[in-house]
Amino acid sequence: MIRKRPNDRSTNRQQRSTLFQKCTNLRALKQVHASMVVHGFNSNHSALGELIFASAMVISGTIGYAHKLFDHITEPNTFMWNTMIRGSAQSLKPLNAVVLYTQMEKRGSRPDDFTFPFILKACTKLCWVKMGMGIHGKVMRFGFQSNASVRNTLIDFHAKCGDLRVATALFDGSAKRDVVAWSALTAGYARRGKLDAARRLFDEMPVKDLVSWNVMITGYTKQGEMESARKLFDEVPRRDVVTWNAMIAGYVRCGFIEQALQMFEEMTSLGEKPDEVTMLSLLSACADIGELEIGERIHSSLLEMGSGEISIIHGNALIDMYSKCGSIERAIEVFQGMREKDVSSWNSVIGGLAFHGHAEESVNLFEEMRRLKVRPDGITFVGVLVACSHAGKVEDGRGYFSLMRNEYKIKPNIKHYGCMVDLLGRAGLLDEAFDCIGNMEMQPNAIVWRTLLGACKVHGNVELGRRANERLLDIRGDESGDFVLLSNIYASRGEWHGAEEVRKLMDDIGVKKEPGFSIVEADDSALKHFCFYSKSKSNRGC
DNA sequence: TTAGGGTTAG
């Protein structure tokens, strides 16, 4: 009897799969590709598809290589298109997924039931409502609306960025609702702050899994309802790193740093391994309380976790932590060591320098950013204007303000105006500062008026100070600090009668000046508890 | 090869 020889194609496939399993970085991927070229597999669509999959989905940071490979394929198959759209949707540039989908349509490639969940994910990430609606139309046209994955992604899209009513109608109209549909809708209600509706859905869910619990807990933490979150957290049948991260991030966001650190301690003592997201929340906590030492330890841990590489998001958080903890040199070091930077990296370092009085360096970095053709955003200009204001560079500040409007077409927000008022006010250009407030496209807030009031105090302008105070009173009549400031303006000019009048007015309308206080770190018990999860730190005895 | 949960700055 002649034994059937193993199918050549399947043997090759097995060999390639083994090869791809060994691919853990770009170098290995390129070697596999080179061997494919040598062995004549470079035109084999199945092999190329796997190569694209490895570089777009499996190995992190190699989506760029996937694009290069893909661009050389004259007729990509649907699997390749799907892989590229999926990889782009989950990358830092989800916009590329939309570009790819558009190209796919133009080139006459027919999308399948895998294409739609991927492209919809990109629309959700970008919150591109019109595009998502268009895709919804395509789903209907191609008849994929009954596919569970497609329908669930549509529910998720509408719940997060479209219309909750559409999401609910899709959910209600489903013949079968699985746990994903329930959780997607619950998450949508929770995200929009409709916690009661979310909770009703959560309670009605016929089956709950870990994600459903995490959705509801996160819903509470994001709205600052930490007590409800904690209650659910204590009831949850099983926890994973996301459950812990949601609680830790919630406590940090609410400013309950001690609880966040206690939760972290509990997490590690129960054997749950923290991940990069945990570290991000902890960095934020360190930045909030100025805890440099723990921040440095998180930095070391991140270097270990990423084998010496630090992601953009962590780099940005580290820059923020170091600058808020007063170590601007380390912040710059992190910034300079980052292989990849985004606009937030520049913003963090430009803002950090500006707020720490390094105006010259801050502005220089901004100029370098422009030279490198990195497009600044509104936040960049807040940093630059703060730098100009601190350095008393009125002309430069004016120039950057108009650059922002005219060249970058960024509409100034209240913070930009606040910076301009501060800049002009510090320089003693009080009338101009007053006019600047008058020219704002939005209602000035108390901060803006208070900035002007402060400048009036410094420059002893009683008349404008009085006017600023009147406006301030309209906005918030119960802030004693503003009265004190006005009273001090009178006093600094020797106008004791005016000063006395303001104090009397405070008494009349019942404004009490709170006694001043300083925070003195008397007990670092929460930090003493801080047991840092790191292999190399385990010998530190914590 | 699909779908739902956690993350920095301002």
Side-chain angles (χ1 to χ4, degrees), chain A residues 336-347:
Chain A
Q336 286 171 340
M338 283 167 79
R339 202 164 50 91
E340 271 189 295
K341 301 177 180 86
D342 64 7
V343 67
S344 303
S345 326
W346 289 90
N347 290 352

Side-chain angles (χ1 to χ4, degrees), chain A residues 170-189:
Chain A
L170 276 168
F171 176 84
D172 289 340
S174 309
K176 261 178 131 185
R177 295 166 205 148
D178 58 18
V179 66
V180 178
W182 279 95
S183 302
L185 193 66
T186 308
Y189 277 96

Side-chain angles (χ1 to χ4, degrees), chain A residues 229-518:
Chain A
R230 179 73 212 212
K231 205 165 168 280
L232 221 51
F233 178 84
D234 291 334
E235 289 171 25
V236 69
R238 200 163 68 85
R239 294 172 188 143
D240 68 356
V241 67
V242 176
T243 328
W244 289 97
N245 286 349
M247 292 300 295
I248 293 171
Y251 281 131
V252 173
R253 210 178 295 120
C254 293
F256 304 147
I257 306 299
E258 192 163 336
Q259 282 94 325
L261 294 175
Q262 276 168 2
M263 188 120 278
F264 176 73
E265 193 213 345
E266 203 184 327
M267 173 187 185
T268 49
S269 67
L270 289 172
E272 186 66 69
K273 196 176 167 185
D275 65 3
E276 283 93 343
V277 178
T278 327
M279 298 307 185
L280 212 47
S281 289
L282 294 177
L283 276 177
S284 178
C286 292
D288 279 355
I289 57 170
E291 185 44 65
L292 180 63
E293 201 190 316
I294 298 173
E296 281 172 334
R297 285 159 64 183
I298 296 172
H299 189 173
S300 312
S301 268
L302 283 171
L303 284 167
E304 281 166 23
M305 280 169 149
S307 321
E309 278 281 324
I310 284 187
S311 67
I312 293 185
I313 202 164
H314 286 122
N316 296 350
L318 281 168
I319 296 171
D320 181 57
M321 182 276 295
Y322 279 124
S323 59
K324 281 192 177 151
C325 291
S327 182
I328 196 74
E329 296 79 14
R330 296 292 309 274
I332 295 168
E333 221 173 83
V334 172
F335 176 77
Q336 286 171 340
M338 283 167 79
R339 202 164 50 91
E340 271 189 295
K341 301 177 180 86
D342 64 7
V343 67
S344 303
S345 326
W346 289 90
N347 290 352
S348 299
V349 77
I350 288 171
L353 283 164
F355 285 107
H356 283 85
H358 303 274
E360 199 85 24
E361 291 94 325
S362 172
V363 172
N364 287 345
L365 262 179
F366 174 67
E367 289 300 344
E368 192 186 331
M369 178 185 187
R370 292 185 67 207
R371 270 196 299 278
L372 294 170
K373 305 270 180 248
V374 182
R375 193 180 169 82
D377 62 13
I379 298 159
T380 324
F381 281 99
V382 173
V384 176
L385 293 174
V386 166
C388 293
S389 176
H390 284 186
K393 295 187 168 190
V394 179
E395 274 320 303
D396 288 356
R398 280 194 185 117
Y400 287 129
F401 190 77
S402 65
L403 181 84
M404 173 178 85
R405 292 180 104 161
N406 304 327
E407 191 175 324
Y408 293 104
K409 309 288 176 213
I410 298 169
K411 222 172 124 188
N413 63 29
I414 200 135
K415 283 185 187 159
H416 300 117
Y417 280 110
C419 290
M420 286 310 286
V421 171
D422 190 42
L423 176 81
L424 297 165
R426 278 175 195 244
L429 303 165
L430 298 173
D431 289 312
E432 208 180 317
F434 204 87
D435 290 344
C436 178
I437 299 179
N439 292 331
M440 281 168 55
E441 292 98 342
M442 67 287 288
Q443 280 294 320
N445 61 13
I447 299 168
V448 171
W449 285 119
R450 201 166 196 286
T451 305
L452 182 63
L453 185 58
C456 292
K457 153 87 172 71
V458 172
H459 295 282
N461 189 326
V462 172
E463 174 50 27
L464 272 184
R466 191 185 52 73
R467 281 164 66 187
N469 195 60
E470 277 169 15
R471 304 288 154 75
L472 202 50
L473 266 179
D474 293 340
I475 300 172
R476 43 176 217 195
D478 57 346
E479 294 280 338
S480 64
D482 305 320
F483 283 96
V484 174
L485 206 54
L486 181 64
S487 159
N488 289 346
I489 298 179
Y490 282 112
S492 68
R493 305 257 302 184
E495 295 180 24
W496 301 109
H497 180 67
E500 187 52 41
E501 250 183 29
V502 176
R503 297 282 178 170
K504 193 172 171 298
L505 181 67
M506 285 171 70
D507 287 341
D508 289 349
I509 60 172
V511 176
K512 294 248 181 322
K513 186 192 175 302
E514 293 289 325
F517 68 94
S518 311

Side-chain angles (χ1 to χ4, degrees), chain A residues 143-161:
Chain A
F144 289 125
Q145 65 271 29
S146 52
N147 176 291
S149 300
V150 176
R151 202 184 45 240
N152 288 344
T153 336
L154 273 173
I155 293 174
D156 184 51
F157 161 74
H158 286 290
K160 281 194 189 133
C161 11

Side-chain angles (χ1 to χ4, degrees), chain A residues 212-233:
Chain A
S212 329
W213 283 88
N214 286 344
V215 160
M216 201 58 233
I217 291 172
T218 310
Y220 283 129
T221 62
K222 286 211 164 160
Q223 299 296 323
E225 295 206 10
M226 291 309 295
E227 271 184 32
S228 307
R230 179 73 212 212
K231 205 165 168 280
L232 221 51
F233 178 84

Side-chain angles (χ1 to χ4, degrees), chain A residues 95-146:
Chain A
L95 178 66
N96 285 340
V98 178
V99 173
L100 280 159
Y101 177 82
T102 315
Q103 284 174 355
M104 185 184 187
E105 274 193 333
K106 267 192 196 155
R107 288 165 67 173
S109 262
R110 198 183 155 83
D112 62 9
D113 48 345
F114 286 86
T115 319
F116 290 111
F118 302 148
I119 183 62
L120 274 167
K121 204 167 191 180
C123 295
T124 309
K125 222 170 159 184
L126 292 160
C127 228
W128 278 18
V129 181
K130 273 192 182 169
M131 180 78 193
M133 300 288 267
I135 299 291
H136 192 162
K138 294 274 163 57
V139 166
M140 308 293 279
R141 197 183 308 161
F142 283 99
F144 289 125
Q145 65 271 29
S146 52

